Amino acid sequence: MRCFRSSTRMLLAICTLASSCLAALQPTDIHIKVMERTGDKLFSASPQYPNTFGKVPEITSTTPLSVSFSVKSTTANEAVAVDQAFVNFRHKETGDETAFVAKRAGVGAYRMDLARKHFRTHFAPSPGLYDISLVLGSFADGGVHYALGTVQMSNGKPQQQQQQQRMSDTVVFGARPEIHHRFAEPQRMPSAAVSLVFAVLCVVPLVVLFGVWARLGVNVGGLGAEPVASAAFLGLVGAYMALAVAYWVGVKLFSALTYALVLALPTYAVGQVALSRRAASKPC
Amino acid sequence: MARESAAAAAAPETTTAAAFNASASVSGIVSSLAREYTANTPQRLKVIDTYMVFCVAVGIVQFVYCGLVGTFPYNAFLAGFGSAVACFVFAANLRMKTNPKNRAQFP
């Protein structure tokens, strides 16, 4: 079932104007029913066009509303299919309108059942008295706007609570309550002693590594074979480490990447020269 | 009767001897492995192996710290642990390339 909000006012106005000009449609066999979930009939009315039904039935989400009617052409005196058939609900206080499409249920016969989800969406937030009307339109026979009567949409809350809810929905312009900022609690950090112990534990393997290397005979004597290129290569490797420290301290990521790219080419070239000359100088 | 008591007395001795033999075999395997490694492994590979052990040790220390204290700051743990793992992987690749036994595959 489709529904339309107040944007259909223009359409309803056009239909009303058309009905005053042509007025060849007549709603007949109008039945308005409010049923219990069990199927028991709480309210039933069959007004004759253009009269309204007198009573004001109460409709809740558990007591669905059903509107059925037929449309007859006064000129041809037979049931006709119309191009538009809406059941329109208009809030008496706010003037908000909601229209539901009446589905075709036969030749010239239409029916609208107000489903529970539509009630919750459109009427539960704004309960109260609604004027219910039929809006029919046909390109051949004109349009009709027929006021059926008044229904009470209720969401189950007491009248006072509904009024309070309506009052709380109104917009109030003025100073907002003051916001008091709360700083985030600092992260729980370990004690400095624990951190220091683990820092020492990370350094100890490095000391052991240098000691084992010294015992294995690792030395820097081979750098003398190509001192310039080796010094340049080691200097550029050191520059990379300095760049990592700079990035940690404050240099932004993309700036650091740019510097790394600038250092990459000379590092590669100098390293290639140093290592290849060192390899060439070693006996086979 | 005398045979049964002798058999019962011999059973624990057999178990102790087997355990002793097992531990001796394990220690023997480890010592022979160390001897083989020291004698037959080129110096260059020992240098790389030492560096790989260093990477493993540093990674383990960082992991234990993270498990005990927590992950904050997480990026620092990721950087440190990831660096140790990456260094280990690169060192393993270097070892494969410099191993004289792989000279046919890496000329």
Side-chain angles (χ1 to χ4, degrees):
Chain A
M1 177 163 52
R2 288 170 295 165
C3 67
F4 303 91
R5 279 287 184 185
S6 55
S7 58
T8 61
R9 285 179 189 167
M10 183 69 75
L11 178 64
L12 295 174
I14 291 171
C15 288
T16 308
L17 185 64
S19 69
S20 64
C21 298
L22 298 170
L25 291 177
Q26 181 177 341
T28 60
D29 296 328
I30 303 162
H31 299 286
I32 295 138
K33 294 175 192 169
V34 179
M35 315 274 281
E36 273 278 12
R37 249 191 288 185
T38 53
D40 297 332
K41 215 179 289 183
L42 290 175
F43 173 82
S44 178
S46 301
Q48 296 289 327
Y49 178 75
N51 301 321
T52 62
F53 57 87
K55 292 184 181 176
V56 178
E58 184 179 0
I59 299 167
T60 65
S61 60
T62 56
T63 56
L65 172 71
S66 169
V67 177
S68 61
F69 56 92
S70 299
V71 184
K72 189 175 74 172
S73 169
T74 54
T75 53
N77 201 24
E78 61 181 10
V80 291
V82 294
D83 299 302
Q84 286 152 349
F86 299 112
V87 178
N88 191 53
F89 294 85
R90 186 177 175 280
H91 199 286
K92 270 191 178 296
E93 288 181 20
T94 63
D96 289 339
E97 294 183 24
T98 306
F100 295 93
V101 174
K103 290 185 180 176
R104 195 175 294 185
V107 178
Y110 297 86
R111 185 186 178 92
M112 187 282 296
D113 293 304
L114 185 63
R116 194 186 301 183
K117 66 173 182 180
H118 290 106
F119 181 90
R120 276 202 297 264
T121 305
H122 300 287
F123 301 113
S126 53
L129 289 171
Y130 281 81
D131 290 326
I132 182 172
S133 58
L134 292 182
V135 179
L136 308 173
S138 171
F139 290 108
D141 299 312
V144 167
H145 184 213
Y146 170 33
L148 287 169
T150 305
V151 294
Q152 169 77 36
M153 297 295 192
S154 175
N155 59 4
K157 294 178 186 173
Q159 193 70 20
Q160 192 179 4
Q161 193 174 355
Q162 291 179 14
Q163 283 179 353
Q164 284 174 356
Q165 190 175 353
R166 274 202 293 275
M167 284 170 63
S168 67
D169 290 342
T170 57
V171 177
V172 176
F173 294 99
R176 292 280 182 179
E178 189 178 348
I179 298 172
H180 297 277
H181 179 71
R182 279 186 63 191
F183 288 96
E185 292 181 12
Q187 286 271 356
R188 287 179 58 188
M189 299 295 293
S191 65
V194 172
S195 298
L196 202 61
V197 164
F198 276 91
V200 169
L201 284 176
C202 284
V203 172
V204 163
L206 187 66
V207 174
V208 172
L209 174 70
F210 287 150
V212 172
W213 275 358
R215 197 167 169 187
L216 287 172
V218 173
N219 57 79
V220 294
L223 292 177
E226 188 57 47
V228 176
S230 300
F233 177 62
L234 290 175
L236 286 166
V237 170
Y240 262 104
M241 294 187 182
L243 181 62
V245 173
Y247 171 65
W248 180 261
V249 171
V251 176
K252 300 293 183 192
L253 174 65
F254 289 106
S255 301
L257 288 175
T258 308
Y259 299 147
L261 196 62
V262 168
L263 284 175
L265 285 175
T267 307
Y268 169 76
V270 170
Q272 175 72 17
V273 167
L275 293 173
S276 61
R277 286 184 185 175
R278 173 75 185 104
S281 67
K282 283 168 67 174
C284 295
Chain B
M1 191 84 156
R3 258 187 229 168
E4 286 173 1
S5 59
E13 286 182 2
T14 310
T15 308
T16 307
F20 179 75
N21 288 337
S23 62
S25 66
V26 168
S27 62
I29 289 171
V30 171
S31 60
S32 68
L33 184 67
R35 259 197 318 273
E36 281 284 323
Y37 178 82
T38 309
N40 298 335
T41 306
Q43 185 215 17
R44 189 174 295 180
L45 295 187
K46 287 180 189 173
V47 169
I48 298 173
D49 291 341
T50 316
Y51 177 68
M52 290 168 70
V53 170
F54 157 75
C55 294
V56 170
V58 167
I60 288 173
V61 169
Q62 290 181 89
F63 195 82
V64 168
Y65 177 81
C66 179
L68 287 177
V69 173
T71 56
F72 185 80
Y74 196 45
N75 290 337
F77 164 71
L78 289 177
F81 189 74
S83 298
V85 170
C87 290
F88 180 87
V89 170
F90 283 126
N93 278 285
L94 181 64
R95 193 186 194 282
M96 281 194 291
K97 288 198 77 172
T98 55
N99 194 348
K101 292 180 184 175
N102 297 337
R103 194 162 287 175
Q105 289 172 332
F106 303 105

